[in-house]
């Protein structure tokens, strides 16, 4: 079965990008949100990104038709509209109980041979699969931020995932313009298992006053050739999302020294400083640009 019709749940930072790259890959896409305002904001982001990609393509003398891509995307507030999707990708808030409740509901709505995927950064795919009523047709499809530009997708298989479903998920990732890697259902999969403890360690370094936030970022950019330092990257990902990832791991693996919650991160989130999305995190942001 080829994946032609895709449902994306959540039109936030990740969901809008996943919807867009799926449409760029030729799929018909339905994006589902909880409120019209959030849906409109997500669709607006898609419009802006498509306009930017069209501008870039023109500069390079390439053809890119943003209107044709946009015509393949529609929004909805009703999960029932996802009933005949070949694939549903979930990209809602990083809260395991909320995600499980959603998949339990979707299991009753979406056609039985439809594939389910979660874009979770850190939670066990197997726990969401278990409540979905289709554990054999469930994978992790972990895209990276910003989805339109980052070339990787992690395809996460559980002990129960059907091999044919893994193959279809990889093919979908390729259609979205990504290079898929396959991995097991372990905390943080490949990238976040390495990246999130590194981000947390940078915060602990700053907390101790060993170096300033700005100097740590400069150090990692110039010393390692990373495009962003750990603080700018945390702002980019969202401080709330980063905190949720670490909280989940600390709860699940309390004795693992690799997972700890920096006080600095907790304090910033408590003050509503969530990073780029709220305009203020470790840095100040105006739209998508760091001030
Ligand atoms: N759609 C279309 N175009 C976009 C875009 C989008 N969403 N975002 C940026 N662009 C455009 C910009 O407008 C810009 O265009 P111009 O050249 O015309 O100005 C161009 O792409 C390059 O963007 P930037 O100017 O911002 O410059 P950059 O060269 O620094 O590239 C970046 C941006 C690709 C984000 C780069 O900084 C980078 O790779 N950063 C690291 C990102 C990263 O590590 N992501 C992973 C996070 S972890 C994760 O996602 C997993 C998790 O579960 C938490
Ligand atoms: P976000 O807060 O930007 O967006 C989440 C969206 O989901 C919101 O618009 C919200 O209204 C919507 N939503 C919440 N519950 C819903 C429901 N029941 N039905 C429909 N919509 C619902 O979050 P995000 O940064 O896009 O993260 C989404 C997921 O992707 C999380 O699991 C996160 O861990 C993961 N992820 C995030 C990043 C990142 O860099 N931010 C990278 C990779 C993966």
């Amino acid at each position: 079965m080829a994946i032609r019709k895709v449902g994306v749940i959540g039109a936030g930072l990740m969901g809008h990008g996943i919807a867009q790259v799926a449409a760029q890959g030729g799929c018909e896409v339905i994006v589902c949100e909880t409120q019209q305002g959030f849906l409109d904001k997500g669709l607006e982001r898609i419009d802006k990104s498509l306009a930017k990609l069209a501008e870039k393509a023109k500069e390079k003398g390439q053809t890119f038709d943003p209107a044709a891509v946009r015509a393949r995307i529609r929004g909805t507030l009703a999960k029932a509209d996802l009933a005949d999707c070949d694939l549903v990708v979930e990209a809602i808030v990083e809260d395991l109980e909320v995600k499980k409740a959603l998949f339990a509901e979707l299991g009753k709505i979406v056609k039985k041979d439809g594939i389910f995927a979660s874009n979770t950064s850190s939670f066990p795919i197997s726990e969401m699969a278990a409540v979905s009523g289709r554990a054999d047709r469930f994978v992790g499809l972990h895209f990276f931020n910003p989805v339109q530009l980052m070339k990787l997708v992690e395809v996460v298989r559980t002990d129960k995932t059907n091999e044919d479903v893994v193959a279809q998920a990889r093919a979908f990732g390729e259609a979205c313009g990504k290079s898929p890697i396959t991995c097991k259902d372990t905390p943080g999969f490949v990238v976040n298992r390495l990246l999130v403890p590194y981000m947390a360690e940078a915060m602990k370094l700053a907390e101790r006053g060993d170096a300033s936030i700005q100097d740590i970022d400069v150090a990692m950019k110039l010393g390692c050739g990373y495009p962003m330092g750990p603080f700018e990257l945390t702002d980019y990902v969202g401080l709330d999302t980063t905190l949720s990832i670490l909280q989940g791991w600390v709860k699940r693996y309390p004795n693992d020294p690799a997972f700890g919650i920096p006080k600095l991160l907790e304090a910033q989130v408590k003050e509503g400083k969530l990073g780029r999305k709220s305009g203020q995190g470790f840095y100040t942001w105006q739209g998508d640009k760091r001030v």
Side-chain angles (χ1 to χ4, degrees), residues 8-275:
V8 177
I9 311 209
L13 217 49
M14 296 305 289
H16 89 276
I18 297 168
Q20 181 180 328
V21 296
Q24 284 175 216
C27 295
E28 185 192 338
V29 180
I30 308 183
V31 199
C32 181
E33 257 292 350
T34 49
Q35 288 179 36
Q36 192 62 44
F38 296 145
L39 187 57
D40 292 343
K41 197 171 166 203
L43 294 172
E44 210 176 285
R45 273 178 158 160
I46 292 174
D47 290 336
K48 275 194 191 152
S49 172
L50 286 174
K52 189 83 207 170
L53 296 180
E55 185 189 308
K56 292 260 163 197
K58 200 173 168 192
E59 280 168 19
K60 292 183 192 153
Q62 297 164 346
T63 46
F64 179 78
D65 184 354
V69 176
R70 185 62 181 79
R72 287 194 282 275
I73 305 172
R74 73 178 172 95
T76 185
L77 300 179
K79 293 184 195 86
D81 289 347
L82 306 175
D84 63 344
C85 285
D86 303 316
L87 168 70
V88 177
V89 186
E90 166 273 316
I92 67 167
V93 61
E94 187 71 350
D95 180 317
L96 184 57
E97 292 315 311
V98 179
K99 286 180 191 283
K100 280 165 69 176
L102 174 69
F103 279 117
E105 192 183 352
L106 287 176
K108 296 181 193 123
I109 295 172
V110 180
K111 66 180 181 180
K112 285 291 166 223
D113 60 349
I115 296 172
F116 284 173
S118 172
N119 186 55
T120 180
S121 297
S122 60
F123 291 124
I125 301 299
S126 59
E127 291 197 17
M128 291 174 265
V131 297
S132 71
R134 60 185 78 189
D136 57 332
R137 302 190 69 72
F138 203 118
V139 283
L141 262 180
H142 188 217
F143 287 87
F144 292 82
N145 179 17
V147 181
Q148 292 91 340
L149 303 187
M150 303 309 282
K151 294 290 175 207
L152 180 70
V153 64
E154 292 175 326
V155 178
V156 186
R157 65 151 71 89
T158 74
D159 292 344
K160 295 204 164 63
T161 314
N162 188 320
E163 276 313 305
D164 174 53
V165 169
V166 173
Q168 287 187 61
R170 285 184 67 98
F172 170 71
E174 281 167 4
C176 292
K178 309 301 171 199
S179 297
I181 63 118
T182 312
C183 57
K184 285 192 183 174
D185 186 19
T186 59
F189 319 125
V190 176
V191 172
N192 283 350
R193 179 64 181 82
L194 300 172
L195 184 66
V196 178
Y198 148 77
M199 287 151 80
E201 204 54 42
M203 291 173 216
K204 289 181 200 162
L205 203 75
E207 261 171 29
R208 291 195 300 268
D210 296 344
S212 71
I213 285 173
Q214 288 80 4
D215 280 356
I216 294 168
D217 272 0
V218 169
M220 294 313 292
K221 278 167 45 170
L222 301 189
C224 293
Y226 290 3
M228 290 176 172
F231 291 93
E232 187 178 1
L233 185 58
T234 308
D235 269 6
Y236 212 73
V237 164
L239 273 66
D240 50 342
T241 301
T242 309
L243 181 60
S244 296
I245 295 170
L246 285 164
Q247 282 171 332
W249 285 344
V250 166
K251 194 170 160 200
R252 204 171 278 267
Y253 312 101
N255 300 319
D256 192 327
F259 307 136
I261 302 173
K263 288 189 178 58
L264 183 57
L265 180 63
E266 275 180 324
Q268 294 271 111
V269 173
K270 216 172 189 174
E271 288 176 38
K273 296 177 178 169
L274 308 183

